[in-house]
Amino acid sequence: MQTEAPIYDVLNYLPDGIIMVDERGVILFANEAFSEMVGYESDILLGLNMLSLLANIDVFQECIAKVMREGKSLNAETDFLHRDGHIVQSIKSVRMIRHNEHIRFFVNVRNLTETYLLNKELRDSKELIELQAHELSVLLNSKNQEIEEILSSLDEVIWYIDSQTLSLRYVNNAVEEIFGFSKEMFLSDTALWQQQIHPDDRALVQMFFETLRPGQSQAIRFRIFHHGGEMRWLNSRIHHHPKLNLFIGITSDITAPKAQSEEIAFLAYHDPLTLLPNRAKLKLQLENRFEYSAAAPFALLFLDLDNFKHINDTMGHKIGDKILIEVSQRFRNALGIYDFCARFGGDEFVILLQDADKSSVDAMSKRLIQTFKEPFTINETDFFLSSSIGIVLYPHDATSGEDLIKHADTAMYEAKNQGKNRFVYYDASMQQTLNDFLRIETLIREGLSQNYFELYFQPLIDSKTLRMEGYEALMRLPHPKEGFIPPDLFIPVAESNGDIHHLGKEVLSQACDFIDTIRQLRDEPFFVAINVSAKQLHQTHFAHELLTYLEERGISPSFLKVEVTESTVMENIHAVSRQLAELKSGGIRISLDDFGTGYSSFAYLAQLPIDTLKIDKSFILSLFKENSNRHIVEAISNLAHALGMNVTAEGVEEAEHYDFLIENEIDTLQGYHLCRPLPRGEILQKLQDEAPYFTPAPSLGYTI
């Protein structure tokens, strides 16, 4: 057997299973392929009866008998049992061998399991493919009309064009919406689509098709004319099919998106309300002038509408917007063709004049002022406006766009300070004025944050009883480092920058604290008069908020008096009268301050809920000077009494003033001859003294 061992080793390399069994079926040898086939190791198989590995033992016994009987090899299909229980399909070849008088059977086993499975899958796949092919053929035959309907339902035009003749071969129904012609008309006249291309774009389209190589895809935009005459923009994505010799295209109408895109580009440099150039366009305009015409002088005008905010606050932004549109149109009409006008923001405009000659600039500025002479009629209501204009000259006043606008803005504020409705040229000295403004603004905000502001109180004396009937609250700013800041410095700044609202709340808070303290000291009627600015009265809910605050503090409105100036009332009499009426109905008395210095018109008095007319101190101080105003004081007193109002005279500085006012039945007196404004602590101290502190005294000289 030693000579046989190498032969058995060779059998291990064969891919088929090889076993050697005796006539009883006992396995004498099994190669590795058979071991793997049935899941047993070779040494386990040796001595094992082959019958234990067969699914049907009769098949093997019949095979052995036949081989022994006929003496030749026999092939037969046989199912082996794998160790894990599954069937291994195979075909075996059995040959009988006689060796040393022993009968041996040499069995060659080929595993057919995977082959059977593969054949079965192939048969199943073939049947499935044949079934699917049949179904697909049926589907394609039945879906042609449906596919056509789908293509026709698209908004985009789907089309085929012959790459040689450019004649139309196919188009869907969307062509009718975009071109205005039916699908049938396009197919019957295959050159119709070319005839609808805009004449200026035909050469572009022709070149596009000539240069689009087979296999390439590109997009093109061009214009066509709709059958109704309307021009439209189209976007086409076109593929040159190399095998079909067709241009296959998808075309969409981009007229609306293109218009929207152009509108977006326009709005990037234009104001959407007035359609004037905006601040970004102004910047570009200035940069272009500096780059290409650096030596050419020009004028820059900064315009701001006077009191426009009052219209927005009282009449609403819709009215304000309509006025701005009309203002813009008037500016366009007034300017020359080479002049430039931009809306800078809000109610501010910037104009660049081509001609920087001063006489020409003066003439144009006067023309712009005149554009406001006629009222702006909105919804049958007339609105009268004016404009303040600041002017700078390039390159005399500045050489950069930022500085030009900054200096023009400074000049515009100077125009407002001079009374509005005028134009002012920039001067370097104005910068100091602006610096002073900014300094005071800083002190105001520091005073508010650090509680530096303090109310002083000046008594108001009943001329008949010489009893104190109330106090006027006067805001003061004693700054710890800068010293005493006069009201005539910080009040205009606060009015201009909006801090007056914060000051107003501070005045009301300190006045109510003072009222609470006095009520604890004395059980007798009195009031505190507070000054209210135009900006406060132009707030829609000012009166309501003031009355609500008094209610929260538990203070009767009878303890408070509101003083407004004649000029405040006349800025917007309709809005102010509504606020004053609400305050009056809530129990607050109203005093008209500085009467006679503004419009000197008594006609509006009957429209306002006024309790007291307060004669301006300028009339009192000149009572006994040349060109005396005594007759004016007498007339005001008579008018007020005739209208059922009280009269207060401020600025009582001298004994002669006092005597004259007593003689002319002025109801209430106020001035340094009686008592100067005092801080809260001194007032409280005076109230505890036995001697009245309002006894007429020698004149102390009037100061703010």
Side-chain angles (χ1 to χ4, degrees), residues 336-359:
I337 59 174
Y338 297 110
D339 299 326
F340 175 88
C341 179
R343 185 184 179 195
F344 195 71
D347 60 340
E348 297 174 334
F349 299 83
V350 171
I351 292 175
L352 304 181
L353 299 182
Q354 186 75 10
D355 192 347
D357 177 69
K358 192 173 184 303
S359 61

Side-chain angles (χ1 to χ4, degrees), residues 102-355:
H102 295 287
I103 295 176
R104 301 287 187 263
F105 293 94
F106 184 85
V107 184
N108 185 90
V109 183
R110 177 163 296 175
N111 192 343
L112 298 179
T113 303
E114 293 184 1
T115 303
Y116 284 156
L117 289 176
L118 179 60
N119 288 338
K120 186 177 183 305
E121 290 178 1
L122 289 174
R123 288 194 301 271
D124 292 343
S125 297
K126 179 182 178 182
E127 293 175 0
L128 179 61
I129 290 171
E130 289 175 349
L131 177 62
Q132 290 177 338
H134 175 71
E135 292 178 349
L136 182 60
S137 177
V138 173
L139 180 64
L140 289 174
N141 291 332
S142 64
K143 291 293 184 179
N144 283 341
Q145 183 61 36
E146 184 177 344
I147 293 172
E148 177 63 27
E149 291 178 1
I150 292 173
L151 291 177
S152 296
S153 68
L154 298 176
D155 292 333
E156 292 81 7
V157 177
I158 310 297
W159 49 263
Y160 311 150
I161 292 177
D162 190 295
S163 61
Q164 302 299 321
T165 64
L166 294 184
S167 60
L168 190 67
R169 298 267 295 275
Y170 169 82
V171 69
N172 63 346
N173 289 337
V175 72
E176 185 171 352
E177 174 64 26
I178 294 180
F179 281 85
F181 294 96
S182 68
K183 169 182 175 180
E184 290 71 24
M185 291 183 67
F186 269 100
L187 292 176
S188 63
D189 185 355
T190 57
L192 178 60
W193 72 274
Q194 298 182 63
Q195 298 169 12
Q196 300 308 117
I197 298 175
H198 193 289
D200 293 343
D201 292 347
R202 288 177 184 171
L204 172 68
V205 175
Q206 181 72 26
M207 182 179 297
F208 177 86
F209 282 111
E210 290 176 355
T211 56
L212 187 62
R213 300 175 63 184
Q216 285 186 328
S217 296
Q218 288 187 14
I220 181 175
R221 291 185 177 186
F222 57 94
R223 293 165 291 177
I224 59 101
F225 283 109
H226 186 271
H227 183 51
E230 174 191 358
M231 188 193 78
R232 295 189 177 185
W233 276 93
L234 304 185
N235 183 73
S236 290
R237 183 73 184 179
I238 302 170
H239 174 69
H240 189 170
H241 200 292
K243 294 182 179 179
L244 300 179
N245 293 321
L246 291 174
F247 290 117
I248 302 173
I250 301 178
T251 298
S252 56
D253 186 345
I254 61 167
T255 305
K258 184 172 177 60
Q260 185 179 18
S261 175
E262 291 175 350
E263 180 181 1
I264 292 173
F266 177 82
L267 292 179
Y269 290 103
H270 290 80
D271 171 50
L273 177 66
T274 64
L275 302 184
L276 286 175
N278 60 11
R279 190 179 299 195
K281 184 69 172 179
L282 170 65
K283 181 181 178 182
L284 287 178
Q285 181 76 6
L286 288 170
E287 289 175 352
N288 288 337
R289 291 192 180 218
F290 297 147
E291 183 175 357
Y292 299 110
S293 305
F298 63 88
L300 185 147
L301 281 60
F302 196 105
L303 298 85
D304 182 89
L305 305 186
D306 299 326
N307 304 320
F308 177 77
K309 187 177 184 301
H310 304 330
I311 295 177
N312 262 349
D313 293 343
T314 58
M315 304 303 295
H317 287 277
K318 287 186 178 180
I319 297 296
D321 287 348
K322 290 180 179 180
I323 291 176
L324 288 174
I325 292 172
E326 177 62 24
V327 168
S328 303
Q329 189 57 51
R330 293 189 186 185
F331 284 167
R332 287 190 185 97
N333 296 337
L335 295 174
I337 59 174
Y338 297 110
D339 299 326
F340 175 88
C341 179
R343 185 184 179 195
F344 195 71
D347 60 340
E348 297 174 334
F349 299 83
V350 171
I351 292 175
L352 304 181
L353 299 182
Q354 186 75 10
D355 192 347

Side-chain angles (χ1 to χ4, degrees), residues 19-43:
I19 57 175
M20 180 79 73
V21 300
D22 62 16
E23 64 273 17
R24 292 174 301 166
V26 176
I27 298 174
L28 303 175
F29 170 79
N31 71 349
E32 293 179 1
F34 183 79
S35 299
E36 184 178 351
M37 188 185 306
V38 294
Y40 293 94
E41 295 180 0
S42 298
D43 54 352

Side-chain angles (χ1 to χ4, degrees), residues 376-391:
F376 295 84
T377 304
I378 309 295
N379 297 341
E380 299 182 352
T381 301
D382 289 342
F383 296 91
F384 291 89
L385 278 81
S386 61
S387 177
S388 297
I389 306 175
I391 305 172

